[in-house]
Amino acid sequence: MNSPTIWPAAFFALLLSTAAPGAERYEVALERGVPVRMRDGTVLRADIYRPKAAGKFPVLLQRTPYNKAGEDGLGHRGAERGYVMVIQDCRGRYTSEGEWYTFKHESDDGYDTVEWAAALPYANGKVGMFGGSYVGATQMLTAIAHPPHLAGIFPVVTASNYHNGWTYQGGAFEQWFNESWTSGLAQDTLNRRAKEATNALGNVWRLPLTRYRLFDFGEEDPLALPALAPYFLDWLAHPSYDEYWKRLSIEEHYDQITVPVYSVAAWYDIFLGGSLRNYIGIKAHGANDAARRGQRLLVIIGGHAGSGRKIGAVDFGPQAPVEEDDLMLRWYDQILKGISNGIEREKPVKIFVMGNNLWREEDDWPLSRAQSRRYYLHSSGKANSLNGDGSLSAEQPATETADHFVYDPQDPVPTIGGPLCCDATHYPPGPRDQRTDEERDDVLVYTTPTLPQPLEVTGPASLEFYASSSAVDTDFTAKLVDVWPNGFAQNLTEGIVRARYRDSQERVEFMTPGRTYKFALDLWATSNVFLSGHKLRLEISSSNFPRFDRNTNTAEDQANATRSVKSTNTIYHDQGRPSALVLPAIPQ
């Protein structure tokens, strides 16, 4: 078995930021608003930064819905380094023509733009793509269309499935992200509508987030939701994983990807699960050896939750920050220019291990040496809140009393930190102290004894549990927590499962009140060393609002529900129903 490589912090930072040995620096020529005609005649516009020199150069392309003007600095840096940098506004965004609709046109527009860029008179025919979040989606959706001149993609913190892991998770609507992100997107759409109507509107428009409803809007208002963000209403109209989602799901098309992919994920990122699945899925199912063997993965800390050494309430040390743009340019120096800069000798996976706060190279993801460890839930039926008697241990339960709590949709458990986007002012993301939530009686708390020695957990995590409800439908949430000696309860990863989707994201099946069901709740993944003196904790509840929409506990369509009821939810942990937290422990 190959052992991991641990990089000294200073060397790792140098490795990411150092330019290729002897790399030439160029003056930059800039063309703004260059028209690119798509197959249907729609004109998209791009800014082109290129070396002011004779010869032909590889192209690095970014297609963004967030305004190409914001990439001026990187455009110049890349061109100085010998790349033709093409930064394009997506269809219907800022300077580009057409109607904006999420994901719909990115495969065709991406294909057409790659082939156009490859044919530029100063391009050498090799095109790489880069960028994060939705800009990662523009790359993935282009890659599944496999344009002939695409040579690689560098997606940062992006998803693999635009239903489960972008718009929904575990069947629950990602309310805070969907509303916050749509609000930001709709601003440009509003500006375009206003310009078209020659009606100057000076106020910044925001979608009306309220505590207990999704949106209120007038159907006839041309500046209301149906006109500004019709895709949002379509998301609500398709809560199940149906053809609306499948036709664009990356997971359904891994076997169509033909190029190397360098994926960047982040432990506290809203798209962590999808970023990891992309690495695993393309390596297993890519269309050729270039795709299957060309996979690389870097897992940082914050992603959408923040950058730098301090993420949320935790300082991860001076070695934590990574300059992703420098890494991207260094990777493309190797695969597009053939420069031997050391990256070809590195292992394919690098992760930041929290707790120890160090970088480590690995042979693959998940780690083959990880050992699945089950931490069984225990109590005498009083695990409610920090004041309860809930515990976790490797000992299997015998005869134990189940735990009950009342979930009231009108008083949901509030979101505290975690993988949030895109409004840190109102709901700050990242690791935060969870004790306020843990004081509630509708939160079950299970904690290990103080750890006598460090415990590393690195890899996918899950909760397998047995539960019943007095309602026909409800949610179950879970959160993995690292408890410090001073009591600080650091959230590591979390998840949710909507009972009606417990067996399938495609098919609704309501519960029979009082009947016991087995659930599997995906906690995505983490890499954390629980230091000696710390404790490992699991929280279970039925809400995490407003990150996820509140389940009304009725059989109504969630987006149009008009009533809600309280539910009594029960978690079983006895010999016949051994509920357990399943974690990947790394031998020391």
Side-chain angles (χ1 to χ4, degrees):
M1 180 186 302
N2 293 329
S3 59
T5 301
I6 298 176
W7 289 94
F11 180 71
F12 189 84
L14 181 66
L15 200 63
L16 292 184
S17 60
T18 302
E24 187 174 356
R25 287 292 181 264
Y26 297 88
E27 292 186 37
V28 177
L30 171 60
E31 300 174 76
R32 294 201 183 275
V34 178
V36 188
R37 188 171 298 276
M38 300 293 101
R39 64 189 65 182
D40 65 353
T42 302
V43 174
L44 311 188
R45 296 194 175 272
D47 293 341
I48 301 178
Y49 308 75
R50 59 181 176 85
K52 189 184 292 185
K56 294 179 181 291
F57 303 87
V59 176
L60 294 183
L61 167 66
Q62 180 179 108
R63 304 190 59 258
T64 177
Y66 303 124
N67 194 346
K68 61 180 171 25
E71 297 296 329
D72 190 69
L74 182 56
H76 277 90
R77 284 174 57 198
E80 289 172 356
R81 194 146 159 172
Y83 290 98
V84 177
M85 304 293 289
V86 177
I87 317 295
Q88 181 187 70
D89 286 329
C90 288
R91 178 182 295 247
R93 305 296 294 167
Y94 295 92
T95 63
S96 288
E97 295 177 358
E99 292 298 316
W100 163 248
Y101 191 103
T102 54
F103 311 114
K104 184 177 181 180
H105 301 286
E106 306 306 354
S107 284
D108 288 348
D109 289 354
Y111 184 107
D112 293 350
T113 303
V114 166
E115 294 306 295
W116 166 85
L120 289 169
Y122 34 76
N124 70 1
K126 297 179 181 179
V127 180
M129 298 181 74
F130 68 96
S133 193
Y134 189 88
V135 185
T138 66
Q139 296 175 70
M140 300 300 294
L141 289 165
T142 298
I144 67 176
H146 45 83
H149 291 91
L150 183 66
I153 61 173
F154 193 93
V156 178
V157 292
T158 196
S160 62
N161 182 314
Y162 304 125
H163 174 264
N164 187 33
W166 187 292
T167 310
Y168 291 83
Q169 184 178 331
F173 190 66
E174 286 263 15
Q175 182 170 342
W176 180 249
F177 167 67
N178 292 334
E179 293 185 357
S180 300
W181 186 54
T182 301
S183 296
L185 293 172
Q187 180 65 60
D188 178 59
T189 306
L190 175 64
N191 293 343
R192 295 162 73 98
R193 295 283 188 274
K195 185 177 181 180
E196 291 167 1
T198 62
N199 178 20
L201 299 178
N203 295 326
V204 175
W205 180 82
R206 292 288 287 181
L207 296 179
L209 173 66
T210 63
R211 184 169 173 81
Y212 298 123
R213 292 181 61 82
L214 290 176
F215 297 105
D216 294 295
F217 52 83
E219 292 288 350
E220 304 304 320
D221 186 348
L223 296 183
L225 187 60
L228 293 176
Y231 45 88
F232 186 94
L233 298 180
D234 289 340
W235 300 343
L236 293 175
H238 294 271
S240 300
Y241 186 49
D242 57 17
E243 288 304 316
Y244 173 83
W245 303 104
K246 290 180 181 180
R247 60 191 175 88
L248 294 175
S249 171
I250 304 304
E251 293 175 2
E252 304 282 343
H253 302 286
Y254 285 143
D255 61 355
Q256 297 177 34
I257 293 178
T258 62
V259 297
V261 182
Y262 201 130
S263 296
V264 179
W267 299 126
Y268 285 96
D269 187 72
I270 193 171
F271 303 135
L272 169 65
S275 297
L276 296 176
R277 282 193 294 273
N278 283 336
Y279 170 82
I280 296 169
I282 300 170
K283 186 170 184 180
H285 305 291
N288 53 29
D289 282 348
R292 291 190 293 272
R293 296 182 182 178
Q295 298 306 300
R296 289 182 175 269
L297 174 67
L298 175 74
V299 190
I300 59 178
I301 308 168
H304 287 89
S307 59
R309 60 180 287 172
K310 186 175 182 182
I311 309 296
V314 177
D315 188 336
F316 291 96
Q319 71 279 14
V322 170
E323 178 49 65
E324 294 148 20
D325 292 339
D326 284 342
L327 176 61
M328 179 269 294
L329 290 170
R330 183 169 169 262
W331 184 60
Y332 277 127
D333 280 347
Q334 196 273 316
I335 71 166
L336 296 187
K337 296 182 178 181
I339 296 174
S340 179
N341 55 18
I343 201 167
E344 70 276 9
R345 296 187 297 274
E346 298 170 12
K347 292 184 177 181
V349 175
K350 298 186 185 73
I351 61 174
F352 188 85
V353 183
M354 299 181 289
N356 277 354
N357 293 344
L358 55 81
W359 286 100
R360 196 168 70 203
E361 278 197 329
E362 297 286 352
D363 296 308
D364 203 358
W365 179 270
L367 279 57
S368 61
R369 67 185 183 281
Q371 300 174 351
S372 181
R373 188 173 297 180
R374 303 178 79 85
Y375 289 86
Y376 293 97
L377 283 58
H378 300 279
S379 81
S380 61
K382 299 177 181 178
N384 308 73
S385 83
L386 274 176
N387 301 317
D389 63 355
S391 65
L392 290 173
S393 78
E395 181 181 355
Q396 296 192 35
T399 302
E400 293 189 11
T401 304
D403 291 304
H404 312 270
F405 62 94
V406 175
Y407 161 50
D408 182 359
Q410 299 301 318
D411 184 25
V413 178
T415 298
I416 300 177
L420 299 175
C421 180
C422 306
D423 182 352
T425 300
H426 292 92
Y427 280 88
R432 306 278 171 178
D433 194 345
Q434 302 299 304
R435 282 178 288 184
T436 301
D437 277 357
E438 292 171 352
E439 293 172 353
R440 296 173 59 114
D441 283 342
D442 56 354
V443 178
L444 303 181
V445 179
Y446 303 90
T447 310
T448 65
T450 300
L451 298 174
Q453 58 189 19
L455 167 66
E456 180 181 337
V457 173
T458 295
S462 63
L463 174 64
E464 296 177 4
F465 66 104
Y466 297 82
S468 66
S469 177
S470 63
V472 294
D473 188 40
T474 195
D475 290 346
F476 290 100
T477 63
K479 191 174 296 181
L480 177 62
V481 178
D482 182 349
V483 184
W484 297 20
N486 63 3
F488 178 79
Q490 176 188 346
N491 52 304
L492 294 173
T493 187
E494 60 191 51
I496 190 169
V497 58
R498 181 147 290 172
R500 68 175 73 180
Y501 292 113
R502 64 191 177 278
D503 293 326
S504 171
Q505 296 283 309
E506 302 179 38
R507 184 183 68 257
V508 170
E509 185 178 349
F510 294 107
M511 303 172 73
T512 299
R515 178 181 171 184
T516 302
Y517 297 88
K518 185 177 181 179
F519 289 82
L521 194 156
D522 187 359
L523 288 169
W524 285 0
T526 192
S527 181
N528 184 70
V529 175
F530 294 81
L531 301 173
S532 58
H534 287 224
K535 300 176 183 178
L536 189 155
R537 176 172 291 164
L538 170 70
E539 299 174 15
I540 297 178
S541 190
S542 286
S543 51
N544 181 350
F545 181 82
R547 183 185 173 194
F548 302 109
D549 67 327
R550 304 157 303 115
N551 195 318
T552 59
N553 294 329
T554 68
E556 292 180 278
D557 174 57
Q558 278 287 124
N560 300 297
T562 59
R563 62 187 181 88
S564 67
V565 297
K566 295 180 182 179
S567 64
T568 298
N569 293 340
T570 302
I571 303 295
Y572 301 92
H573 44 82
D574 51 43
Q575 187 173 26
R577 296 167 290 190
S579 297
L581 174 66
V582 185
L583 298 178
I586 305 301
Q588 299 299 302

